[in-house]
Structure formats: C-alpha cells, structure tokens
Amino acid sequence: MFEWLKPKTAGWKAPEARGPAVAIKVLSPADTPIVGSARWVGDELRVESQGPAIKSLFDVPLPQLEQCRVDYGFLIRTEALQSAVYPLMWCRVPELGNFFSKGIERKVAGTQDWTHVEISFYLEEGQVADLVQLSLAFEGPGQVWLKEFTVSSTPTRSKQ
C-alpha cells in the first residue's frame, strides 16, 4: 500500500516546507461557482443550504503538482448560523483517483465576523495532481458569505 494512502495517525507529522508558497489561483466574481445555490453579490460569494450538504464551489486546475502542500483558504462571515460549516477540498491524482482533506477542525457556526479559514492537502513525490475541487460542507441549513479565495502550493521535503 502506498504510504500516503494509509490513514493519518496521531504521530503523523506534516513534511517540512522547502520554499515559499506560490499562488495558483485567486478566485473572484469572474469565476462562476459550480453549485447554483452559490452566487456572487459584489465581491462576496453567498452560499445557501436547505439542510446538510456538500456545496462544490469551484474546480481549479493545477499545474501538475507533486511533493508539495496545496492550501485552500478564504474569509467567511456568518450570522446566527445554527449548524456548522467547514471547508472540504478534493484533490485529483489522475492515475489513482480523488482524495480529500476535510477541515472539520475549522468549523464555523453562530455569528462570526470575517474569519480566515484554510485547509491543506499533502502530495508526496510521484503523486501528480492536476485538479482540486473547492467545497463547503454544511451540517444543517444556513447561509454564509465567503471572499478572498486562494489556492496555493508550497514545495515540501521528502520524508526520511
């Protein structure tokens, strides 16, 4: 079994960065959301859900990345949100399939002013990803506002 396919355990440590982060994509109102329940209002993306759901927001092609950390970040604002929301990122490695990173430790609920949320996905040497899908997971009904979406990559060192 590939080492990176094994479940991450409490002893797992993220690989060290070996260079600066490089911006891949900054999303804006020029980018059309995948899901119809998300729409731009000025420079903010309003996303609504009638109940528990995964809202796929954007597909972002990657420049054949490997041995790096891919980061998905944005600002989020909520008002009296009864159920939590959190980021979810799917990463496609063509020969192997789709893999995800869930930001369950980054849940937002209640009333929050603009808060930065970010999750990461690690690619090892030989894992060449070509696409990420940026999503938002709703644990119940609600509405949120998002802005300043970024996707970046940071090269990492091989594990010894």
Side-chain angles (χ1 to χ4, degrees):
M1 173 182 257
F2 288 106
E3 186 66 28
W4 59 276
L5 285 176
K6 292 180 182 175
K8 305 282 188 260
T9 62
W12 183 82
K13 291 190 187 333
E16 285 183 42
R18 65 172 171 86
V22 175
I24 295 171
K25 177 79 174 168
V26 176
L27 294 139
S28 71
D31 298 290
T32 304
I34 295 170
V35 68
S37 56
R39 66 181 174 89
W40 289 102
V41 179
D43 69 343
E44 299 173 7
L45 186 68
R46 189 176 88 188
V47 186
E48 297 180 57
S49 183
Q50 299 304 311
I54 303 293
K55 300 293 182 168
S56 298
L57 303 176
F58 302 101
D59 283 341
V60 177
L62 299 176
Q64 299 295 303
L65 295 177
E66 69 175 309
Q67 197 172 342
C68 67
R69 183 184 74 222
V70 179
D71 296 309
Y72 160 37
F74 54 85
L75 292 176
I76 184 169
R77 181 172 62 87
T78 62
E79 290 179 14
L81 184 64
Q82 296 296 315
S83 299
V85 298
Y86 58 89
L88 177 66
M89 174 173 49
W90 286 92
C91 189
R92 183 173 72 191
V93 178
E95 296 78 26
L96 300 171
N98 293 306
F99 304 91
F100 65 88
S101 180
K102 281 186 179 182
I104 56 176
E105 69 284 352
R106 310 271 191 302
K107 289 182 181 182
V108 177
T111 298
Q112 297 284 327
D113 199 2
W114 292 111
T115 302
H116 184 260
V117 174
E118 184 173 88
I119 60 172
S120 301
F121 188 89
Y122 290 88
L123 294 164
E124 293 181 4
E125 187 175 5
Q127 299 172 318
V128 181
D130 68 348
L131 182 84
V132 290
Q133 184 174 84
L134 310 178
S135 302
L136 193 62
F138 282 79
E139 292 185 341
Q143 174 178 278
V144 299
W145 293 264
L146 309 170
K147 66 180 183 178
E148 298 182 17
F149 290 89
T150 60
V151 178
S152 62
S153 70
T154 303
T156 58
R157 298 186 193 285
S158 295
K159 292 181 183 178
Q160 300 299 326

